[in-house]
């Protein structure tokens, strides 16, 4: 029996490490991360993104949402989450980064970028992700994809990771998009037992935040989101989507999930397929 235990221990350790890893090969491999997708269906959208990282966003030792992160453009392809009624709590003053995007052996939980730098002096943290200083004096907001207002603490705090952020036009972020997120809050509270949400960005061809003559963070052309609202039996009751140009036009166009899937197809060489199981058809 002791021999069997010794042989199984390395395998058990490997399994435990894989369960708690923040960066995973596939969302499907981590049940606690997969739960942010309706019927556990991960969309095909973005799957062909070169060097994309699958992040199970971990904070205070548990997962809060999932992000497909484009390490070349240093913005998220999308974040997936389940809406939570807010329980108050202020905005984070910290901005987190993903340690494992710097070194796979580092901690699996997001950490304040300032203190991670202090822990590893001389190590550059920004090769595969945006840093807080990239946004400083850039003229762009640190625009949440997964909004903090759609969560209770501590999930609310976890949204303040730069892997959940894109450069957003300030006028658009603080007006039309903010109002759209607020309208969704009211809808989810009134109509849904549970709401599954995807929020993403479409990168521009060549528009970047540039620091020291280096293209650091891509400025997306479009933002989009989609939701699937279900009842107590996990059956769809309502769905919807929206898209918007990331400009001072400051307009959000509401569309159906099917229409959004058709829109996204313009930016993909592969079939986009369904964003939600059965496209969340009622």
């Amino acid at each position: 029996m002791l021999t069997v235990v010794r042989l199984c221990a390395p395998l058990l350790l490997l399994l435990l490490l894989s369960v708690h890893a923040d960066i995973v090969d596939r969302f499907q491999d981590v049940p606690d991360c997969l739960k942010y997708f309706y019927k556990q269906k991960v969309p095909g959208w973005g799957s062909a993104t070169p060097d994309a990282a699958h992040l199970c966003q971990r904070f205070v030792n548990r997962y809060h949402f999932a992000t497909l992160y484009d390490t070349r453009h240093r913005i998220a392809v999308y974040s997936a989450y389940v809406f939570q009624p807010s329980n108050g709590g202020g905005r984070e003053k910290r901005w987190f980064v993903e340690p494992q995007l710097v070194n796979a052996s580092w901690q699996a939980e997001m950490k304040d970028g300032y203190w991670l730098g202090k822990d590893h002096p001389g190590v550059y943290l920004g090769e595969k992700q945006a840093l807080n200083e990239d946004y400083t004096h850039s003229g762009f907001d640190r625009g949440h994809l997964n909004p903090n207002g759609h969560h209770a603490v501590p999930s609310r705090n976890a949204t303040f990771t730069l892997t959940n952020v894109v450069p957003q036009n300030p006028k658009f972020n603080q007006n039309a998009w903010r109002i759209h997120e607020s309208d969704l809050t009211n809808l989810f509270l009134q109509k849904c037992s549970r709401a599954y949400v995807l929020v993403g960005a479409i990168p521009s061809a060549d528009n970047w935040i540039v620091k020291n003559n280096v293209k650091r963070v891509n400025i997306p052309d479009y933002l989009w989101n989609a939701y699937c609202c279900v009842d107590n039996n996990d059956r769809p009751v309502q769905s919807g989507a929206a898209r918007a140009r990331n400009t001072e036009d400051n307009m959000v166009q509401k569309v159906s999930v099917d229409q959004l899937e058709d829109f996204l197809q313009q930016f993909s060489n592969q079939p986009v397929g369904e964003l939600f199981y059965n496209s969340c058809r009622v």
Side-chain angles (χ1 to χ4, degrees):
M1 289 297 294
L2 289 175
T3 302
V4 172
V5 170
R6 290 193 187 99
L7 289 174
C8 291
L11 177 60
L12 178 61
L13 178 60
L14 179 62
L15 290 174
L16 288 173
L17 288 172
S18 67
V19 167
H20 291 288
D22 190 21
I23 298 180
V24 299
D25 290 335
R26 305 187 318 150
F27 292 129
Q28 292 90 333
D29 296 333
V30 185
D32 282 346
C33 193
L34 193 58
K35 67 185 180 183
Y36 301 111
F37 301 90
Y38 177 53
K39 297 284 189 184
Q40 300 188 340
K41 174 183 171 52
V42 177
W45 168 254
S47 60
T49 302
D51 301 322
H54 296 76
L55 308 180
C56 296
Q57 300 281 15
R58 188 176 175 187
F59 181 69
V60 292
N61 204 34
R62 68 181 177 90
Y63 298 132
H64 299 272
F65 60 102
T67 300
L68 183 64
Y69 190 73
D70 181 345
T71 61
R72 292 190 179 183
H73 290 105
R74 301 185 185 91
I75 59 173
V77 178
Y78 65 75
S79 284
Y81 65 95
V82 175
F83 172 80
Q84 302 171 347
S86 174
N87 59 359
R91 291 176 61 87
E92 268 285 354
K93 295 181 180 179
R94 301 169 294 176
W95 285 101
F96 303 112
V97 295
E98 175 48 62
Q100 291 189 342
L101 283 177
V102 185
N103 187 315
S105 68
W106 288 5
Q107 69 182 65
E109 184 163 314
M110 63 180 70
K111 185 165 184 176
D112 181 336
Y114 174 80
W115 288 110
L116 186 65
K118 291 291 186 181
D119 290 344
H120 301 278
V123 177
Y124 181 53
L125 306 180
E127 181 179 350
K128 294 184 177 180
Q129 63 189 313
L131 304 176
N132 193 33
E133 53 262 35
D134 291 327
Y135 286 87
T136 304
H137 306 305
S138 69
F140 290 88
D141 283 357
R142 299 165 183 82
H144 284 68
L145 291 184
N146 177 2
N148 70 89
H150 284 191
H151 293 277
V153 172
S155 293
R156 181 177 184 132
N157 306 78
T159 65
F160 285 83
T161 170
L162 290 165
T163 53
N164 177 50
V165 162
V166 301
Q168 204 165 347
N169 179 279
K171 182 177 180 180
F172 169 55
N173 181 40
Q174 298 167 30
N175 292 277
W177 196 249
R178 177 187 59 81
I179 293 169
H180 174 60
E181 291 174 340
S182 180
D183 289 345
L184 288 179
T185 296
N186 294 331
L187 185 150
F188 296 157
L189 290 172
Q190 295 170 14
K191 301 280 188 178
C192 311
S193 291
R194 182 177 289 246
Y196 296 86
V197 190
L198 293 167
V199 192
I202 298 174
S204 60
D206 195 25
N207 192 15
W208 297 75
I209 291 176
V210 177
K211 294 287 182 176
N212 299 319
N213 296 317
V214 176
K215 294 178 179 178
R216 282 293 304 153
V217 187
N218 186 272
I219 301 166
D221 281 339
Y222 290 92
L223 267 65
W224 59 268
N225 67 9
Y227 67 87
C228 181
C229 214
V230 301
D231 63 15
N232 287 326
N233 296 311
D234 210 33
R235 294 177 302 201
V237 294
Q238 186 168 332
S239 65
R243 68 189 192 209
R245 289 190 63 85
N246 185 24
T247 66
E248 288 194 0
D249 291 347
N250 196 32
M251 294 177 59
V252 175
Q253 182 180 5
K254 295 183 180 180
V255 296
S256 69
V257 172
D258 287 339
Q259 288 172 326
L260 179 62
E261 290 168 351
D262 291 341
F263 172 74
L264 294 177
Q265 188 61 66
Q266 303 174 47
F267 305 95
S268 177
N269 293 324
Q270 297 183 353
V272 169
E274 297 174 337
L275 293 176
F276 301 109
Y277 173 80
N278 199 32
S279 293
C280 192
R281 292 185 179 88
V282 177

